[in-house]
Structures are given as structure tokens and as C-alpha cells.
Amino acid sequence: MKETPLSNCERRFLLRAIEEKKRLDGRQTYDYRNIKISFGTDYGCCIVELGKTRVLGQVSCELVSPKLNRATEGILFFNLELSQMAAPAFEPGRQSDLLVKLNRLLERCLRNSKCIDTESLCVVAGEKVWQIRVDLHLLNHDGNIIDAASIAAIVALCHFRRPDVSVQGDEVTLYTLEERDPVPLSIHHMPICVSFAFFQQGTYLLVDPNEREERVMDGLLVIAMNKHREICTIQSSGGIMLLKDQVLRCSKIAGVKVAEITELIQKALANDQKVRKEGGKFGFAESIANQRITAFRMEKAPIDTSDVEEKAEEIISEAEPPSEVVSKPVLWTPGTAQIGEGIENSWGDLEDSEKEAEDEGGSDEAIILDSIKMDTGEVSNIGSQDAPIVLSDSEEEEMIILEPDKNPKKIRTQTVSATQVKAPSKKPVKKRKKKRAAN
Amino acid sequence: MERVMQTETKIRAESGIESGPRGPGCSLRNFACEQNLLSRPDGSASFLQGDTSVLAGVYGPAEVKVSKEIFNKATLEVTLRPKIGLPGVAEKSRERLIRNTCEAVVLGALHPRTSITVVLQVVSDAGSLLACCLNAACMALVDAGVPMRALFCGVTCALDSDGTLLLDPTAKQEKEARAVLTFALDSVERKLLMSTTKGLYSDAELQQCLAAAQAASQHVFRFYRESLQRRYSKS
């Protein structure tokens, strides 16, 4: 679907409001929207909501052979997908620019910053390492995808537990989840992206732009930082020219924001761990807000299936027996058999050689039809066709005399049922090559 | 406009379930549904069956590409995305099943030359995934206001090695079952809209599973009705 264009008055309104330090949702310039983190039942699954922008993250692992030039390191794979439900403009083939940009930024933020210890993912050097795969799905696009995605990625990685492995000499034992508790990944620090949107050639800036603000912005500056105030990645796009002190100021703001967000993440992770340890209920079902009228829950419902047997027997006894379908395969030569026939050839004018082939095919068909005793007048007609067909180059042979109410195209099938597809009156149309004899 | 409504509906069958001849009591897992949770799609719903959770978003009726346009009815498109990895053949076949079910129910003739897109995202898979997808799709279509001739629901049955019938199986039960059957039933007369099965079973067992699914669908439709009543209630 095409994206609805932004009207000029909307654009002017947004820009004027920003000039007056006002935002549509009432936030201040440096305010983030509400961040909500919820976890699923399996480890490594989380949904992050940044205002209305929603991202689902899932981490999975697999034992693979390592890369040749990095024999002792595990492999990290990141994949962000812009789901079609996130915005009407996100069609499967159409979002490559934005997708590449976001994926690349995410990779730089998480992979190049070495936040995950890849050496610890090695099981047998040169042979078996863990491949950690992070899949992120954008579910709703209300601006600032990269921040939400980076939070979802790091939360999912911190939440994830991989199966325990033990190596004894040459033997590698992979324990299932029941045998041994799974082990968390070793994460050094948590890089989080903070986005700054610039308006009017860098005069005004906003933190955490929402979708409307993103549409009217001039450029975007993304700073990925961890709580130790180390910059992991910095990217400026849109062609805005920023001054040095602007960038420094943004990095200071980012430092403050990242500290707040990291605290929130750690609180959420600790909460989830506590609930799991105490044996309470966890998962997405618990995070559905019960008070909303748009949410509804039903407890486990037992179903009475004591009468299914009787019902089933009733239905089977009342059912008609299936109709007999007799398929008579015809063996042409060893290895070539034919069951049924196709629709009549509708190619029209044929070359001479093809005509000959067709005629032979036609005569063979005549034999088959005889055997199932089609009760039409054609039987006698066909009987007379067993004699060799006289080929002639006359154009008349191609003519089909179409009666107005007849259907020249029909399917010749071999079902022995009462329905007579071919009425005797269809005779003139049936075999156009045999028109001569028929008429 | 948020009311504090603690509605817990405990639905119990009349007779003792434990003594049923078909095994130690079939029951559906905990259901939960939230509608209108995404701001961009026209309609959205999140459906949870136990630990299985599917999120559905619907756009429609909306503009359609000329190549996919149908002159007298709406073009229905269904996309199912798995959580991990790229979508494969299994997703394509499920998309087709869901699309066939929706096409049978959606009144496409009221919106010719438009497209209705249903996007499904698997949030967690713990058994009965296709049934959960069908339920989520139905709730999302209702939330989007797409005209339909009936509601539909999905129910999964599993037959284990000694012939016991299980409704709404978990992932473990599905793996150990001899046959897994999924049915889509409509709400008006509980007729069969779609069925897909995997495994070995007799025709008597098929009819029994279908009858059990029809009994279960009653509960699902009651759940739909109550959740929509709650949403549109004024008190």
C-alpha cells in the first residue's frame, strides 16, 4: 500500500510547534516515551513498547562450525524485520533502504561494540561453536524504530539462556533443559541507541521522535552508548551539518538517557527472574492488562466429549457410501500408461506432422471409449473409424461446425457414472478430424 | 474509559468430565484476547491459548495493486511470519489454509477492487498454532470492522497412540500424538470451513474429532461473544 502523504499544513503545524518548544504528545524536548518491557515463557523472548512503537525480540542458539578465520569465536547473527503490520507502507519487497540502514546500525551497535563475549561461545575450538541468532520484528511503527529495536535486542540477549554443554576430552555432551539448568550468555555491557531528530538545519532538536516528527525532520543523529558512558556507535544521517558542541551536548544527553533506560531494563529482568524462581505465572498472558476493556481472559474450560462416539457413529451410518471411481489405466508400451484423458486440443491450426500425431492419438482414444461403453450414437461412428484415417491437406478438415448451443470444448473422463456428458446431438462437434465420415 | 472489570468466566460442563470414555477430560487451555492493541493497522488482536500466542493485524479494505485486483470482490491476502528465521513452505501452506477460511467468511463482494490484508506474527508457539492463528485472525477482522457472514474459530485435536482424544494439545502432546487434526468451524451452524490433518486415523476417529471440535467451538464462540460484550458494554 502506498504511504499516505503528509499534508503541507500538517508539516507546517509540526514545525511551528517545534519552534515553540511544543510537541504533539506534550513531552519536553529531552523526554522519552514510556518504555514497557514484557517477557514470554521461553527464555530470550521479549516485547518492548516505546510509546506505541512495539518490537518483538527472540534469541535462539544452535551449534555450528565456526568461521574459518575465527575458529575460537562464536557467531552472532542479527535480523530486524519490518513486519507488514507495522505500517501500511511496509510491503515485503518495498522497504529495502530503511531495512538495510536499521540492520546495519543494529549490527554495528551490538557486534562491533563486543558487548557479548564470543570467546565464551566456543565449545570445541575449530569444530563446534554456538551461533546466537537475534530476530527482531517490528510490530507497530510509531517512530524511533532503532531505539526500540536496540532495547529489545539487548533485553532479549540478557534474558536468554543457552543449553549447558560439557566437554570431556573428545566427547561433547549437550544437556537438555530438563537435565541441567540453561546458562545465561556472558554480556559485558548493554549498548543502547538514542536518537536525536534535527529540524530547521540543526537549530532545534528532539529526543525520541515519534512518527510524525520523523516525517518532518531534516536529519537524525543516533548515538549508541552504554551506562559507563562509552560510545559504541555514532551515526548522523540526512545530511545535516552539526557543530562539534551540538554533538557533544547530544552525547551528554544520551549518557543520561541510557543510564535511565539501563536501570529500567535491569529492574524488568530482575522482576522476571524473581517471578520464575518463585514459581509464579510468567509470560505474555500475565502482561495483558486486565483492566482494559479491550482485553479479556477465560480460564481453562473443560469440554464434555462423552457423546462424541455416538455422534460419530450416527454420522458414519447415515453417510452415503463413496461413489465408485473406476480408473482404467491403458498401457501403451512398457513404461507408458494413460489414465483418463485431457481436454480437447484447442490449439487451432496445426502443422502437418502434428496433425498426423493427433490423428493417431484420436484413433487410439476411439478404442478406449469403446471399452467403457459410452451410450451415445458415436459408438457406431467410432466403430467405423477403426479403419486407417485418410489424411488430406484439405483445409476443410479444420472446420468445426459449431451449433450455437453446443460447447465445443469438453473433458473426456472415464468415470462410469450415470451422467452422460456427451449427448448424441454433440456428434458433429466431437471429432473434428472425422467430420467427413460423421457427416 | 477504562473500567475495572474483573470478569472471570468459569465454564464447566454439566456432567463429570473425568469419567468420559474418551480419556481423562479434554479441556481447552486458558484463553486471553486483547483487541486494538496496535495503532497503525485498521484492526489488531492478540490471541493467547495457554502459552501459544499470535498477534494479528488487518489492513482493509485498502488500495490494491492492479495486478492483484479482482473486479467483483476484495482480494484477501494473508501473511504469516514465524518468530525465528525466514518464512518457509510450512508458513506458505498455513497462509493458504487461513486465506481459504477467511475467503469463505468475509463478504468480499461488498468491497470490490480492494485488498484486505491479514498479517500474523507468531509470538510464541506451544502447540495448536494454526488454531490460534485462525482465532487471532477472526478477532482482528472483527476489530477492523471487515464485514463477515459469520465468525470462525480454529480447534486442534490430537489422537495419541491408544486413541485418546485431546483438545487444544500442547507442543509436547502434539509431538507424541499419532495424528493431529485442525478444524476451522463457523459460528452460525458450526459447519466445517477448513480441515487439515497430519498422521494416521480412521474415519470413525475423524468424525469423533470433528464432533469434539464442534463442542469445543461452542466455548470459543462464547469467549468471543463475552470479550466483545465487554468491549462494547456501557457499564
Side-chain angles (χ1 to χ4, degrees):
Chain A
M1 264 160 273
K2 268 204 298 223
E3 189 159 317
T4 32
L6 190 66
S7 58
N8 284 341
C9 55
E10 211 174 345
R11 180 184 294 268
R12 264 199 307 266
F13 179 81
L14 283 162
L15 287 172
R16 276 264 279 275
I18 291 167
E19 281 168 25
E20 297 175 16
K21 304 270 198 257
K22 287 196 172 57
R23 290 176 91 157
L24 277 189
D25 43 13
R27 287 188 278 154
Q28 299 296 321
T29 321
Y30 301 146
D31 277 353
Y32 250 80
R33 289 172 282 181
N34 271 339
I35 301 178
K36 179 163 172 267
I37 302 173
S38 48
F39 297 96
T41 37
D42 13 319
Y43 282 116
C45 181
C46 73
I47 289 188
V48 169
E49 290 172 55
L50 177 62
K52 293 194 204 149
T53 304
R54 202 183 279 240
V55 178
L56 163 72
Q58 173 71 57
V59 178
S60 53
C61 66
E62 203 190 330
L63 276 174
V64 296
S65 317
K67 292 203 177 121
L68 291 169
N69 53 347
R70 295 259 188 272
T72 54
E73 284 183 16
I75 302 174
L76 283 174
F77 184 72
F78 300 99
N79 182 34
L80 169 66
E81 249 189 45
L82 303 174
S83 168
Q84 216 176 336
M85 72 170 93
F90 288 160
E91 270 174 31
R94 280 242 226 118
Q95 351 116 340
S96 35
D97 266 357
L98 180 63
L99 195 63
V100 168
K101 176 173 161 221
L102 293 169
N103 268 299
R104 188 65 199 119
L105 193 52
L106 206 64
E107 269 202 27
R108 280 166 55 198
C109 167
L110 292 163
R111 193 201 296 267
N112 296 6
S113 64
K114 305 244 185 286
C115 62
I116 301 184
D117 182 13
T118 43
E119 299 273 349
S120 68
L121 297 173
C122 179
V123 175
V124 178
E127 282 174 34
K128 283 278 176 229
V129 298
W130 284 111
Q131 176 181 346
I132 303 292
R133 190 198 164 100
V134 183
D135 283 286
L136 300 159
H137 302 270
L138 179 70
L139 302 173
N140 196 43
H141 177 26
D142 197 34
N144 207 0
I145 303 173
I146 190 62
D147 285 19
S150 76
I151 297 175
I154 203 65
V155 166
L157 284 164
C158 291
H159 190 248
F160 180 62
R161 304 277 181 271
R162 64 164 172 82
D164 198 5
V165 200
S166 72
V167 184
Q168 275 140 349
D170 275 341
E171 248 185 57
V172 177
T173 330
L174 180 67
Y175 297 104
T176 63
L177 295 163
E178 287 92 35
E179 289 172 9
R180 270 211 207 167
D181 272 345
V183 162
L185 297 174
S186 125
I187 296 177
H188 296 311
H189 60 95
M190 299 207 272
I192 292 171
C193 294
V194 177
S195 300
F196 300 88
F198 287 93
F199 304 85
Q200 313 286 39
Q201 281 82 45
T203 326
Y204 303 99
L205 91 82
L206 289 180
V207 176
D208 185 19
N210 70 14
E211 202 251 337
R212 293 282 123 170
E213 290 161 356
E214 268 187 1
R215 291 255 212 134
V216 301
M217 72 183 175
D218 283 340
L220 187 73
L221 174 71
V222 180
I223 301 181
M225 226 189 221
N226 61 26
K227 72 170 186 203
H228 308 295
R229 302 187 55 94
E230 298 168 324
I231 293 182
C232 307
T233 300
I234 193 163
Q235 170 162 312
S236 162
S237 56
I240 36 151
M241 286 165 286
L242 295 171
L243 300 168
K244 185 178 73 176
D245 53 297
Q246 273 178 311
V247 178
L248 280 173
R249 194 154 41 101
C250 288
S251 67
K252 284 203 183 73
I253 300 169
V256 171
K257 293 295 161 195
V258 165
E260 287 172 11
I261 297 174
T262 311
E263 211 187 290
L264 193 90
I265 292 176
Q266 276 166 343
K267 227 193 298 184
L269 284 165
N271 217 5
D272 180 73
Q273 201 170 5
K274 194 171 77 146
V275 170
R276 278 174 202 255
K277 208 189 286 204
E278 288 170 3
K281 289 199 244 182
F282 50 87
F284 291 126
E286 299 311 309
S287 54
I288 284 191
N290 264 350
Q291 298 83 10
R292 298 222 186 112
I293 53 170
T294 52
F296 187 61
R297 284 221 250 183
M298 183 175 89
E299 298 302 318
K300 201 159 152 168
I303 308 283
D304 181 16
T305 54
S306 46
D307 57 347
V308 278
E309 279 190 16
E310 294 94 58
K311 271 204 205 148
E313 278 169 25
E314 252 182 60
I315 293 176
I316 293 178
S317 57
E318 285 176 23
E320 293 166 12
S323 55
E324 280 291 306
V325 176
V326 178
S327 66
K328 293 207 174 158
V330 177
L331 189 66
W332 296 117
T333 67
T336 311
Q338 176 182 325
I339 303 178
E341 292 151 16
I343 310 176
E344 179 152 349
N345 190 320
S346 61
W347 276 34
D349 285 5
L350 292 173
E351 302 300 327
D352 283 352
S353 53
E354 283 166 291
K355 235 196 291 174
E356 197 165 19
E358 237 225 37
D359 277 339
E360 279 178 354
S363 64
D364 289 330
E365 281 151 358
I367 299 166
I368 300 158
L369 286 164
D370 231 340
S371 66
I372 52 173
K373 300 190 205 61
M374 292 302 279
D375 188 15
T376 65
E378 285 137 333
V379 175
S380 53
N381 185 24
I382 293 158
S384 64
Q385 301 303 317
D386 276 353
I389 315 296
V390 174
L391 279 179
S392 88
D393 286 342
S394 162
E395 289 301 305
E396 275 183 47
E397 280 208 311
E398 310 315 319
M399 265 205 296
I400 306 167
I401 301 168
L402 284 172
E403 318 286 298
D405 55 335
K406 306 292 194 303
N407 186 5
K409 196 187 282 189
K410 68 225 172 300
I411 300 159
R412 293 169 292 202
T413 56
Q414 285 204 7
T415 48
V416 181
S417 52
T419 54
Q420 295 295 330
V421 177
K422 286 168 259 192
S425 52
K426 284 206 173 169
K427 211 194 302 182
V429 190
K430 187 174 179 282
K431 299 252 190 293
R432 28 191 213 158
K433 297 295 173 289
K434 278 85 172 165
K435 198 76 64 218
R436 291 260 167 88
N439 295 335
Chain B
M1 280 212 289
E2 290 185 1
R3 316 265 193 260
V4 180
M5 263 177 81
Q6 304 293 337
T7 321
E8 272 192 50
T9 319
K10 290 213 179 337
I11 299 159
R12 292 229 180 285
E14 303 78 37
S15 51
I17 313 91
E18 306 298 319
S19 56
R22 290 318 273 169
C26 310
S27 58
L28 302 173
R29 296 178 279 181
N30 283 344
F31 275 20
C33 174
E34 189 177 352
Q35 288 189 309
N36 209 0
L37 58 162
L38 303 176
S39 68
R40 295 303 291 272
D42 296 333
S44 55
S46 165
F47 204 89
L48 287 89
Q49 282 182 220
D51 285 336
T52 306
S53 165
V54 175
L55 180 62
V58 170
Y59 284 104
E63 198 186 331
V64 67
K65 268 198 265 217
V66 185
S67 54
K68 296 198 201 155
E69 188 178 80
I70 303 178
F71 75 98
N72 61 342
K73 56 184 188 155
T75 312
L76 198 80
E77 288 170 359
V78 176
T79 312
L80 175 63
R81 282 281 130 92
K83 197 163 50 159
I84 300 171
L86 295 168
V89 173
E91 277 71 42
K92 277 268 169 302
S93 91
R94 290 203 186 108
E95 284 173 10
R96 174 170 269 262
L97 293 168
I98 299 169
R99 190 179 73 233
N100 287 348
T101 315
C102 293
E103 274 175 358
V105 157
V106 164
L107 296 170
L110 291 177
H111 298 281
R113 297 188 316 278
T114 64
S115 81
I116 299 175
T117 312
V118 181
V119 187
L120 296 151
Q121 172 69 52
V122 176
V123 174
S124 71
D125 180 7
S128 313
L129 183 64
L130 185 57
C132 195
C133 290
L134 284 162
N135 295 337
C138 182
M139 292 305 262
L141 284 165
V142 167
D143 187 45
V146 171
M148 298 197 275
R149 80 175 92 248
L151 298 180
F152 58 92
C153 80
V155 183
T156 311
C157 290
L159 286 166
D160 68 3
S161 36
D162 35 284
T164 327
L165 196 146
L166 291 159
L167 283 173
D168 199 15
T170 61
K172 187 157 163 283
Q173 287 168 338
E174 272 186 1
K175 205 153 56 139
E176 296 166 355
R178 154 167 65 94
V180 178
L181 303 91
T182 306
F183 303 106
L185 301 157
D186 94 324
S187 62
V188 179
E189 290 173 24
R190 289 181 303 141
K191 285 204 174 142
L192 189 63
L193 291 169
M194 181 279 294
S195 87
T196 180
T197 68
K198 184 174 70 162
L200 206 65
Y201 53 90
S202 70
D203 53 346
E205 285 173 334
L206 170 66
Q207 293 298 338
Q208 284 165 11
C209 286
L210 190 48
Q214 282 175 331
S217 69
Q218 251 185 329
H219 290 271
V220 184
F221 289 131
R222 195 176 337 171
F223 174 73
Y224 283 2
R225 180 178 292 273
E226 287 179 4
S227 96
L228 288 167
Q229 260 174 356
R230 173 181 162 110
R231 186 170 170 199
Y232 295 114
S233 65
K234 290 193 184 158
S235 57

